[in-house]
């Protein structure tokens, strides 16, 4: 049984991951900024009698991370597995997104990871044992307007994680990057329901991509179960694409040169919809302005 700390567990991938580890018998500290948002997780934990404890950690705060992780380590002993999942995904063009939003999403998605890593690494290094799994996205390797504010943080996280894995390996500390595609989470549904007032054409058609994708079953448990598998398997593989469209989208991007990809993203709506239909068989126009998501 490992002691596992997971950030961002109030919903979505974080909650699913906490449940996957708890059901496997690991001792889980499921952290979030506001415990009042953890009611559903607490209900399932209590109903199933899982070894999952909800705790407060705000990854944007130096003091919250430092004190929260120190308190958990004092109560439970060393943390064996750290899963950095906390994050959010704003939509918007570079021109129209306030600088404060860029700073806020970087604070959570990137600097929040660094805070947590720095809090657990000394003890892992001293024990010469540990596992750090960072939840990135295929958006950490594919830039696709209008998700630039979010994608910038995930590109940064990918570089951080690759360097961190090199630093940790001599001390037997495994590092891994999980790269989900479109997964049915509250964040994905917000993107699907987004109605654009932008001067740029990308936002509405991007929402249509999410609506169409969410018609198929792609629960957050797919990611939670894969993270559990990574932690338990002892693998040193760095990157793990997860979800029905993750590997296909990564392969699609690799089929383009950089210049071709820029041209693809710059197409007008009609040409872009036709390209998606011809290349991927996705008739996204059918989902534009008529977004209806399946019930959860």
């Amino acid at each position: 049984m490992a002691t596992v700390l997971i950030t961002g567990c109030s919903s979505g991938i974080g909650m699913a991951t906490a449940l996957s580890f708890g059901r496997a018998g690991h001792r889980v500290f499921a952290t979030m900024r506001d415990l009042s948002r953890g009611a559903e997780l607490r209900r399932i934990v209590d109903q199933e009698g899982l070894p999952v404890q909800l705790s407060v950690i705000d990854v944007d705060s130096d003091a919250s991370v430092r004190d929260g992780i120190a308190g958990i380590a004092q109560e439970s002993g060393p943390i064996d597995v750290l899963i950095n999942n906390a994050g959010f995904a704003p939509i918007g063009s570079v021109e129209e997104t306030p600088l404060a939003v860029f700073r806020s999403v970087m604070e959570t998605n990137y600097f929040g990871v660094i805070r947590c890593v720095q809090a657990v690494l000394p003890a892992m290094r001293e024990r010469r044992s540990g596992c750090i799994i960072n939840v990135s996205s295929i958006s950490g390797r594919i830039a696709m307007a209008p998700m630039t504010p979010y994608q910038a943080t995930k590109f940064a996280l990918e570089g951080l994680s690759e360097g961190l894995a090199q630093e940790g390996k001599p001390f037997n500390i495994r590092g891994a990057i999980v790269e989900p595609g479109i997964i049915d989470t509250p964040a994905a549904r917000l993107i699907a329901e987004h109605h654009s007032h932008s001067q740029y054409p990308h936002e509405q058609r991007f929402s249509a991509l999410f609506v169409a994708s969410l018609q198929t079953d792609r629960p957050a448990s797919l990611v939670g179960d894969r993270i559990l598998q990574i932690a338990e398997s002892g693998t040193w593989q760095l990157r793990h694409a997860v979800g029905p469209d993750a590997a296909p989208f990564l392969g699609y991007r690799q089929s383009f040169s950089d210049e071709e990809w820029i041209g693809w993203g710059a197409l007008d709506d009609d040409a872009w919809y036709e390209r998606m239909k011809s290349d991927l068989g996705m008739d996204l126009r059918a989902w534009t302005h008529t977004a209806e998501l399946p019930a959860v």
Side-chain angles (χ1 to χ4, degrees), residues 6 30 39 46 59 76 89 99 117 152 200 220-221 227-228 242 276:
I6 309 168
D46 291 345
V59 301
S76 68
L99 187 58
V117 167
Y200 294 84
S221 59
I227 293 172
L228 173 65
V242 187
M276 290 293 282

Side-chain angles (χ1 to χ4, degrees), residues 21 171 200 208 238 260 263 283:
F21 275 84
F171 298 96
Y200 294 84
L238 179 63
E260 288 169 341
D283 186 5

Side-chain angles (χ1 to χ4, degrees), residues 85-256:
N85 166 75
F88 67 101
I91 295 180
S93 70
V94 175
E95 176 189 343
E96 296 164 325
T97 302
L99 187 58
V101 173
F102 278 95
R103 286 181 171 138
S104 179
V105 68
M106 187 66 77
E107 192 68 61
T108 299
N109 295 8
Y110 179 68
F111 291 113
V113 171
I114 295 174
R115 288 186 182 94
C116 293
V117 167
Q118 289 183 338
V120 304
L121 262 181
M124 287 184 175
R125 176 173 47 78
E126 187 173 322
R127 297 195 321 275
R128 303 184 76 87
S129 176
C131 178
I132 297 174
I133 302 172
N134 293 333
V135 179
S136 179
S137 165
I138 60 170
S139 289
R141 290 202 277 163
I142 303 175
M144 189 173 175
M147 293 292 292
T148 312
Y150 170 72
Q151 288 161 350
T153 69
K154 294 304 185 181
F155 268 65
L157 180 60
E158 294 266 338
L160 173 75
S161 302
E162 192 165 322
L164 176 65
Q166 296 172 36
E167 294 175 7
K169 189 163 187 177
F171 298 96
N172 196 38
I173 300 169
R174 292 187 294 126
I177 308 167
V178 173
E179 298 170 330
I182 297 175
I183 298 294
D184 195 350
T185 64
R189 286 177 171 258
L190 283 175
I191 294 171
E193 294 164 353
H194 178 76
H195 293 282
S196 172
H197 302 286
S198 173
Q199 298 298 310
Y200 294 84
H202 308 84
E203 292 188 16
Q204 201 60 50
R205 68 196 195 193
F206 199 72
S207 294
L209 172 62
F210 271 68
V211 176
S213 297
L214 292 175
Q215 303 305 311
T216 60
D217 190 36
R218 47 188 73 214
S221 59
L222 289 174
V223 186
D225 290 345
R226 177 65 68 85
I227 293 172
L228 173 65
Q229 180 186 40
I230 293 166
E232 289 186 333
S233 69
T235 180
W236 288 89
Q237 180 180 326
L238 179 63
R239 288 184 168 86
H240 304 261
V242 187
D245 56 22
F249 266 126
L250 290 169
Y252 186 56
R253 171 62 181 94
Q254 290 168 1
S255 72
F256 289 77

